[in-house]
Amino acid sequence: MLDESLLDSPEGLAEADHRALLRGTAEAGARVRTAARHAAEAGVGDLKPDGRPRAVLIAGPGAAATQTADLLGTLAGAGSPVTRLAPTGVAPAAGALRWELPGWTGSVDLLLIATPDGTEPGLSLLTEQAYRRGLTVVAVAPAGTPLAESVSGSRGLFVPMATAPYDHDEPLAASAPGVLWTLLTPLLALLDRTGLLTAPPDALEKVADRLDAVAERCGPAVATYSNAAKTLAAELADALPVVWTEGVSAGPAGRRFAAALAELSGTPAVVAELPEALAAHSALLAGPLAARADPDDFFRDRVEEAPALHARVVLLRDRPLGGLTAAPAARELALTHDTPVSELEPEEGGELETLAELIAVTDFAAVYLALASAPR
């Protein structure tokens, strides 16, 4: 069960945060700036590509690579296919994972490697395979790792991952807030140079500023009643989050939120995009997870018995194209089934900024839920 008193205790949160998740979330803006500087020092800004790649392939372990591919694919749109290479293996361990290039890849394609580890033999083998096929290889990983040596030896471009000293104290969670931005930022700068998306240096600086602004509004010292992330974490206690997204930027933010909830706090969540979500989850809201499914819940002894698990809709919205919105229909469907709704909508700004805000607020919420619900 959620310890709501812990949410308003900055000292208690810091004591419970053994993996420095809150610190990584709060420092996301600084990570973007450091990662952008590393990309510039590696020569990303000086690149003069011959043209846009036919396809962009992304490889890496765990949620970090999956979410990076999702975000880059969303931002690039249909201009160039962005495909994640899923690993195979007998276990999710560095030495057990293997990646293979599709048979059609060649010199007109681009391989991106994103990993917070860098010791995976499978990624080094993939780099060698790409070199033999003539693919351009760009990797973001910790400096001094076997992957860094492999990429440099294959005439690829290596960008050192921006890390903090406390990253080495505990194994990094793939959904840890600090990981995503250190891997994503250099790749945004790179794909800006290729013309697949728009992420010039001033846009990345605006992203960092927006992340800093969210950290000020949602940090541990801000009380729950005025803290959107703490409020959302409290609302999701003992609930099944049903995450509905609307708008281009909201889609990958919602999918990342669901992954972070599962990995960081052990909270299962389902996610879908509006308007299809209304049909996809209609039966779920009408079933045993609906709030009205247990009419005796009001009289339940909440001290002696665990509360029943009920659905709660989390509506993440960006401004939809053309001004058309399914939000009123979403609210009506939820309320028809006595299902409460939490809503998040970013402030005005560019696509990267609004995406960053949605990710940052939900990252804070996932971390707060993880810390306040952890057994002690």
Side-chain angles (χ1 to χ4, degrees):
M1 295 180 63
L2 186 79
D3 181 2
E4 293 193 33
S5 64
L6 186 66
L7 291 178
D8 283 325
S9 171
E11 297 80 9
L13 287 169
E15 185 177 348
D17 191 9
H18 305 297
R19 292 182 290 176
L21 295 174
L22 271 178
R23 188 171 178 179
T25 313
E27 294 180 355
R31 298 260 189 158
V32 168
R33 295 185 183 92
T34 303
R37 186 177 72 249
H38 285 188
E41 292 172 351
V44 169
D46 299 326
L47 295 176
K48 297 179 180 179
D50 294 332
R52 293 155 64 103
R54 176 181 62 179
V56 178
L57 307 169
I58 300 181
T66 301
Q67 293 159 11
T68 298
D70 189 12
L71 288 162
L72 293 178
T74 299
L75 294 169
S80 181
V82 176
T83 304
R84 178 185 178 244
L85 299 180
T88 59
V90 297
L97 297 176
R98 293 292 182 270
W99 289 262
E100 290 291 335
L101 289 174
W104 50 263
T105 54
S107 59
V108 293
D109 302 313
L110 173 64
L111 173 63
L112 307 179
I113 298 177
T115 173
D117 188 331
T119 64
E120 302 91 344
L123 289 177
S124 296
L125 292 173
L126 179 67
T127 300
E128 296 170 7
Q129 184 183 4
Y131 176 67
R132 292 193 298 270
R133 295 264 196 99
L135 277 77
T136 300
V137 180
V138 179
V140 182
T145 56
L147 179 62
E149 298 177 5
S150 178
V151 172
S152 299
S154 300
R155 299 180 182 177
L157 176 63
F158 178 77
V159 181
M161 178 180 169
T163 60
Y166 57 84
D167 285 342
H168 308 291
D169 296 337
E170 295 283 345
L172 286 171
S175 293
V179 174
L180 175 68
W181 294 108
T182 55
L183 296 178
L184 179 64
T185 302
L187 300 183
L188 286 172
L190 173 74
L191 295 188
D192 174 73
R193 298 297 300 167
T194 65
L196 289 179
L197 50 79
T198 303
D202 61 329
L204 295 178
E205 183 61 31
K206 289 180 180 178
V207 167
D209 291 341
R210 182 67 65 99
L211 292 171
D212 287 344
V214 173
E216 291 179 4
R217 301 198 311 265
C218 298
V222 181
T224 299
Y225 68 87
S226 59
N227 187 320
K230 287 184 179 180
T231 299
L232 180 57
E235 291 172 344
L236 293 181
D238 305 313
L240 172 69
V242 179
V243 183
W244 289 347
T245 68
E246 184 173 55
V248 176
S249 297
R255 291 186 285 273
R256 171 174 168 78
F257 186 35
L261 286 171
E263 182 177 358
L264 301 182
S265 67
T267 301
V270 293
V271 59
E273 297 187 19
L274 292 174
E276 289 88 350
L278 302 181
H281 293 159
S282 178
L284 186 154
L285 297 187
L289 291 172
R292 67 182 181 188
D294 184 4
D296 297 326
D297 185 62
F298 180 80
F299 301 101
R300 185 182 302 277
D301 186 339
R302 302 183 191 280
V303 176
E304 299 298 330
E305 298 182 32
L309 181 68
H310 293 314
R312 185 182 189 97
V313 169
V314 180
L315 183 56
L316 303 183
R317 300 185 63 214
D318 196 6
R319 282 156 295 285
L321 295 175
L324 297 175
T325 175
R331 298 185 192 102
E332 182 179 358
L333 177 63
L335 296 177
T336 298
H337 296 294
D338 295 333
T339 301
V341 179
S342 301
E343 295 193 38
L344 290 177
E345 185 172 344
E347 297 178 359
E348 294 282 344
E351 186 177 28
L352 278 175
E353 293 172 74
T354 57
L355 175 62
E357 180 173 340
L358 286 174
I359 290 176
V361 175
T362 51
D363 274 353
F364 267 111
V367 171
Y368 285 131
L369 186 60
L371 297 181
S373 59
R376 279 178 291 279

